[in-house]
Amino acid sequence: MDAKTILFLFGLISLCIGLVYLYFVLVNKKRNGFLMAYAIGKFFQAAGVIFISNRLLITDYLALNIGASLLVLGYGASYFCVISHDNKFKKPNFYAIALPISISVLTFLVYQGTTYLIPAILLYVVIGFLSIFSGIKLISGKQKTSTVSLV
């Protein structure tokens, strides 16, 4: 299998995970906005990976920049839901995740360079920051609900 096929399969896996969480939210009688946001984040991740894997079918600008933007939005939504394990909206957590996402999405959409090395590095740095930040917040917080075990 080539890299495009593997990326496409990863996109389909994210889509299936998002569908499972969406089904759980819709079947559950009590609505949980964080789980819904997690499912939407998975849909963004799936769309971003599918955009990137179809580079040859659509232009590079759309495939890479829009795909990277969707990936960052998806990971941001997912990580925000993970660090909101007590089902309470906290502004500092939201701003800590929203700021790097905003900067990177604007960079992806405005960037018109000939090489895509800068957006690729920015994508990995932002996703790495979000992973480390949410991991630290998750470890340092007290788990009061079972949302973390679901996510």
Side-chain angles (χ1 to χ4, degrees):
M1 284 200 290
D2 60 340
K4 292 186 303 183
T5 307
I6 293 171
L7 279 174
F8 187 74
L9 289 176
F10 281 144
L12 289 179
I13 290 170
S14 289
L15 183 66
C16 290
I17 292 171
L19 287 173
V20 167
Y21 277 97
L22 183 64
Y23 174 76
F24 178 76
V25 168
L26 294 177
V27 169
N28 195 1
K29 300 216 185 308
K30 186 178 179 185
R31 297 286 183 226
N32 189 338
F34 290 107
L35 286 180
M36 185 64 156
Y38 186 81
I40 291 171
K42 283 296 182 184
F43 290 139
F44 278 144
Q45 288 176 16
V49 170
I50 290 172
F51 260 90
I52 291 173
S53 69
N54 289 321
R55 258 178 86 167
L56 299 176
L57 300 177
I58 53 179
T59 63
D60 277 347
Y61 177 79
L62 286 176
L64 297 176
N65 291 349
I66 305 296
S69 299
L70 289 172
L71 267 176
V72 169
L73 287 171
Y75 277 107
S78 299
Y79 289 141
F80 179 71
C81 295
V82 168
I83 63 174
S84 300
H85 57 84
D86 54 356
N87 290 332
K88 293 182 182 171
F89 180 80
K90 295 178 183 142
K91 282 187 182 179
N93 291 345
F94 177 74
Y95 291 138
I97 294 227
L99 183 65
I101 289 173
S102 303
I103 291 170
S104 62
V105 167
L106 285 175
T107 303
F108 292 142
L109 296 179
V110 172
Y111 183 73
Q112 296 290 327
T114 57
T115 179
Y116 288 99
L117 183 63
I118 294 170
I121 291 172
L122 181 63
L123 174 69
Y124 291 119
V125 166
V126 169
I127 290 175
F129 167 77
L130 293 175
S131 301
I132 291 170
F133 175 76
S134 62
I136 290 171
K137 293 295 280 186
L138 187 63
I139 291 171
S140 65
K142 295 180 181 177
Q143 296 181 3
K144 297 179 183 177
T145 64
S146 62
T147 304
V148 174
S149 63
L150 291 173
V151 175

